[in-house]
């Protein structure tokens, strides 16, 4: 099957130019001017921008967490992603207690089987330390898993100590595996949480007290120092504040191979949103927590000036009022105390339009940088490039058609995520994905769903680059 996209403006991380694109099967076969091809389906993209499909390097679909399971599974989450212009994501598979890393990956592959509608890979999250786990790291690349995650937070659940962190980094360096890290000092959160609860301070706002910025910065700096010693590549996930990003800057200035991600919600949700009277603030409980508008401006600047390389979502959806109408329990679990709120914010569908509108229209970075932080950089660092993350001959034909003039008001009433609220409710954005193509197939066209369940593919990833 051949498709010829005529008259569009191609935007990559480095170039903006008008050209036609010929797709043969699942791949981009030719890019040029005035292309003609007998028998090809013609799509006219006059007036539209053509960008590589978005790549969300940080999601949690169908994940047990916080006494429940995330509301979006691999079908609803991926379908929502496609509506928002994302064609690939990398989800976190969890090692099970007593299980191996690769068993964790197999478990997550089963969750996606028969449901996937876009392409996906997995990072494996280390939850059960030990020599066998460390030895297993060298086997990951052969299975297409070239990144793992360690937690310095969630004591008693996911957190590992510095012994394990250091050993994992040494093994990862040897195996060419990227170490991703959730940096917050979990010992401190554990102590402060217990003290707050004992004092009866269990309102939503105390979540902020248990997760101060200092412990994010401290853990980030510690992880970066250990990465410097071991020489491993380190990717700090969901960076929220200036204090932590300064550690990143210092690490990079020292020549350590460290990179940083922030997430859409940290640009728009703030401590004051969690301090509102009543329980509404629980919607924004995530770890690390939302910070301040001043931090957000620092994050925008850091994305623009290449201090940070990625914007992902940490999509982790829980209904605000779950546990009814056949839905899983959600945020209401935290009415028993802030420490029981399932942590996470949905956003897999919103990332591209929200970061385009506020970033490009907002004058914070240009459209090429937008492509870099939402698609090309994740593809390069996670070992998907040049198959994914760009528009080039030989790449997968994952293309999102962007109508720069189309306006849309974001709302839970119209979004496709399986969750009853939206972090960007009421936000008017200009610039909207009007067609999403995955490996040559139009899977969303003008808001209409065209994809078959199960057609998304697991992608084996190679070792990625350092940016
Ligand atoms: N933070 C969240 O908010 N949710 C999922 C896991 C995490 O680290
Ligand atoms: Zn995390
Ligand atoms: Zn996460």
């Amino acid at each position: 099957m051949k498709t010829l996209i005529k008259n569009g403006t191609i935007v990559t991380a480095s170039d903006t130019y008008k050209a036609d694109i010929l797709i043969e099967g699942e791949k981009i076969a030719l890019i040029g001017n005035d292309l003609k091809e007998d028998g090809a389906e013609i799509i006219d993209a006059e007036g539209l921008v053509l960008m590589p499909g978005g790549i969300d390097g940080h999601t949690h679909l169908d994940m047990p967490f916080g006494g429940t399971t995330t509301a979006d599974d691999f079908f609803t989450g991926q379908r929502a992603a496609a509506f928002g212009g994302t064609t690939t994501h990398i989800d976190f598979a969890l090692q099970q207690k007593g299980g191996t890393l690769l068993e964790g990956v197999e478990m997550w592959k089963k969750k996606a089987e028969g449901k996937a509608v876009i392409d996906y890979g997995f990072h494996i999250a280390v939850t059960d330390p030990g020599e066998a786990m460390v030895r297993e790291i060298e086997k990951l690349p052969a299975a297409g898993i070239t990144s793992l995650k360690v937690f310095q937070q969630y004591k008693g659940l996911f957190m590992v100590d510095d012994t394990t962190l250091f050993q994992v980094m040494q093994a990862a360096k040897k195996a060419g595996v990227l170490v991703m890290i959730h940096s917050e000092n979990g010992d401190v959160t554990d102590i402060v949480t217990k003290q707050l609860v004992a004092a009866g301070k269990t309102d939503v706002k105390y979540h902020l007290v248990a997760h101060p910025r200092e412990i994010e910065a401290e853990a980030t700096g510690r992880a970066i120092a250990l990465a410097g010693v071991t020489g491993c590549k380190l990717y700090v996930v969901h960076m929220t504040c200036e204090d932590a990003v300064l550690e990143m800057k210092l690490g990079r200035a020292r020549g350590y191979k460290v990179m940083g991600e922030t997430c859409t919600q940290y640009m728009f949700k703030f401590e004051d949103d969690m301090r509102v009277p009543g329980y509404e603030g629980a919607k924004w409980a995530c770890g690390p927590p939302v910070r301040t508008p001043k931090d957000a401006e620092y994050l925008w600047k850091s994305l623009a000036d290449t201090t940070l390389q990625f914007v992902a979502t940490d999509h982790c959806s829980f209904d605000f009022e779950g546990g009814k109408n056949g839905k899983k329990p959600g945020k209401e679990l935290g009415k028993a105390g802030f420490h029981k709120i399932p942590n996470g914010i949905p956003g897999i569908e919103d990332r591209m339009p929200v970061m385009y509108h506020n970033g490009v229209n907002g004058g914070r970075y240009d459209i090429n940088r937008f492509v870099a932080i939402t698609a090309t950089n994740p593809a390069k660092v996670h070992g998907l490039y040049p198959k994914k993350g760009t528009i080039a001959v030989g790449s997968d034909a994952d293309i999102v058609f962007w109508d720069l003039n189309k306006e849309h008001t974001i709302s839970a009433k119209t979004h496709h995520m399986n969750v009853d609220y939206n972090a960007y409710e009421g936000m008017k954005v200009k610039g909207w994905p009007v067609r999403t193509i995955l490996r040559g197939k139009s899977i969303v066209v003008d808001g209409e769903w065209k994809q078959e369940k199960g057609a998304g593919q697991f992608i084996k990833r190679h070792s990625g680059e350092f940016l």
Side-chain angles (χ1 to χ4, degrees):
M1 209 194 83
K2 293 181 182 180
T3 306
L4 185 55
I5 305 172
K6 299 283 295 176
N7 309 317
T9 298
I10 297 171
V11 177
T12 67
S14 54
D15 297 299
T16 303
Y17 60 104
K18 219 169 152 101
D20 301 339
I21 300 174
L22 178 66
I23 301 170
E24 285 189 14
E26 300 190 339
K27 302 276 183 194
I28 296 174
L30 203 57
I31 299 174
N33 291 324
D34 302 318
L35 297 185
K36 293 184 179 59
E37 186 70 21
D38 287 345
E41 180 200 351
I42 308 286
I43 303 174
D44 186 9
E46 182 67 50
L48 300 175
V49 155
L50 307 173
M51 296 191 277
I55 299 178
D56 190 341
H58 185 163
T59 62
H60 302 279
L61 299 180
D62 200 356
M63 183 179 79
F65 190 53
T68 180
T69 300
T70 55
D72 278 300
D73 67 6
F74 278 81
F75 175 62
T76 64
Q78 292 193 352
R79 184 183 53 175
F83 273 104
T86 289
T87 49
T88 304
H89 72 117
I90 312 176
D91 205 77
F92 286 92
L94 303 181
Q95 178 197 19
Q96 302 298 293
K97 296 280 177 206
T100 69
L101 299 175
L102 287 172
E103 282 166 1
V105 171
E106 286 309 309
M107 194 171 171
W108 253 255
K109 274 189 186 171
K110 287 207 176 66
K111 288 172 186 269
E113 256 170 39
K115 290 188 175 172
V117 287
I118 62 172
D119 290 350
Y120 57 97
F122 295 111
H123 319 286
I124 180 70
V126 169
T127 67
D128 197 1
E131 275 175 32
M133 180 279 291
V134 174
R135 271 199 310 274
E136 198 192 356
I137 290 173
E138 68 179 7
K139 296 193 189 136
L140 295 175
I145 308 297
T146 52
S147 47
L148 54 78
K149 182 176 181 186
V150 274
F151 290 85
Q152 293 169 293
Q153 180 58 286
Y154 302 121
K155 190 168 181 178
L157 183 64
F158 299 147
M159 182 176 134
V160 302
D161 61 13
D162 288 349
T163 302
T164 296
L165 176 55
F166 191 71
Q167 288 171 335
V168 164
M169 284 178 163
Q170 284 182 321
K173 157 77 179 161
K174 221 165 140 199
V177 166
L178 174 70
V179 177
M180 302 173 79
I181 193 143
H182 176 139
S183 285
E184 282 184 288
N185 187 317
D187 286 317
V188 174
T189 296
D190 187 57
I191 296 167
V192 175
T193 300
K194 284 175 180 155
Q195 288 169 346
L196 287 166
V197 172
K201 295 179 173 173
T202 57
D203 289 355
V204 172
K205 64 181 182 222
Y206 291 107
H207 177 80
L208 299 168
V209 180
H211 295 257
R213 64 179 61 235
E214 289 84 354
I215 68 162
E216 182 185 340
E218 181 277 323
T220 304
R222 180 159 36 103
I224 288 173
L226 300 185
V229 175
T230 59
C232 78
K233 275 186 290 175
L234 182 71
Y235 175 123
V236 184
V237 301
H238 48 43
M239 301 191 77
T240 70
C241 58
E242 179 170 354
D243 314 53
V245 177
L246 286 175
E247 299 289 338
M248 170 68 55
K249 272 194 166 162
L250 196 56
R252 287 174 71 84
R254 287 179 170 143
Y256 302 161
K257 293 195 175 72
V258 294
M259 298 170 278
E261 163 205 281
T262 189
C263 300
T264 319
Q265 57 270 25
Y266 297 116
M267 310 295 174
F268 302 98
K269 291 293 155 203
F270 305 117
E271 292 170 355
D272 284 350
D273 295 307
M274 289 197 73
R275 292 194 183 111
V276 294
Y279 191 63
E280 197 75 11
K283 288 177 177 173
W284 323 120
C286 62
V290 295
R291 306 288 186 194
T292 66
K294 186 168 167 276
D295 287 298
E297 281 313 319
Y298 196 81
L299 296 172
W300 282 113
K301 197 163 86 42
S302 301
L303 284 171
D305 72 12
T306 75
T307 304
L308 297 180
Q309 295 73 33
F310 323 95
V311 62
T313 60
D314 199 6
H315 177 83
C316 192
S317 54
F318 299 103
D319 280 308
F320 184 56
E321 293 178 21
K324 48 190 190 190
N325 305 323
K327 295 199 77 184
K328 293 163 200 154
K331 294 278 184 183
E332 75 286 350
L333 292 174
K335 287 188 176 159
F338 75 89
H339 55 304
K340 306 259 185 196
I341 308 172
N343 275 208
I345 298 183
I348 200 167
E349 183 169 1
D350 308 309
R351 177 185 69 131
M352 298 281 282
V354 163
M355 294 305 290
Y356 175 81
H357 176 72
N358 294 280
V360 180
N361 296 342
R364 291 175 164 119
Y365 43 63
D366 66 17
I367 193 167
N368 306 96
R369 184 69 189 154
F370 168 74
V371 171
I373 60 177
T374 57
T376 311
N377 289 357
K380 286 184 172 175
V381 166
H382 294 306
L384 292 163
Y385 191 86
K387 179 179 169 63
K388 308 280 189 194
T390 192
I391 294 184
V393 171
S395 295
D396 281 1
D398 296 350
I399 301 170
V400 56
F401 290 46
W402 211 260
D403 183 341
L404 302 187
N405 295 313
K406 192 172 165 105
E407 295 186 345
H408 180 88
T409 302
I410 294 177
S411 175
K413 291 194 190 84
T414 49
H415 76 200
H416 301 84
M417 299 179 287
N418 182 34
V419 64
D420 62 1
Y421 73 101
N422 189 297
Y424 314 99
E425 186 71 37
M427 184 188 286
K428 216 183 221 175
V429 294
K430 188 171 175 190
W432 192 252
V434 290
R435 181 188 291 258
T436 305
I437 297 184
L438 173 74
R439 282 183 281 104
K441 183 177 178 196
S442 289
I443 62 173
V444 181
V445 181
D446 290 327
E448 240 183 84
W449 183 241
K450 306 277 185 187
Q451 175 68 314
E452 285 151 37
K453 222 171 163 178
Q457 286 181 0
F458 169 70
I459 310 287
K460 282 179 99 171
R461 296 179 291 121
H462 52 84
S463 279
E465 299 173 31
F466 167 69
L467 294 176

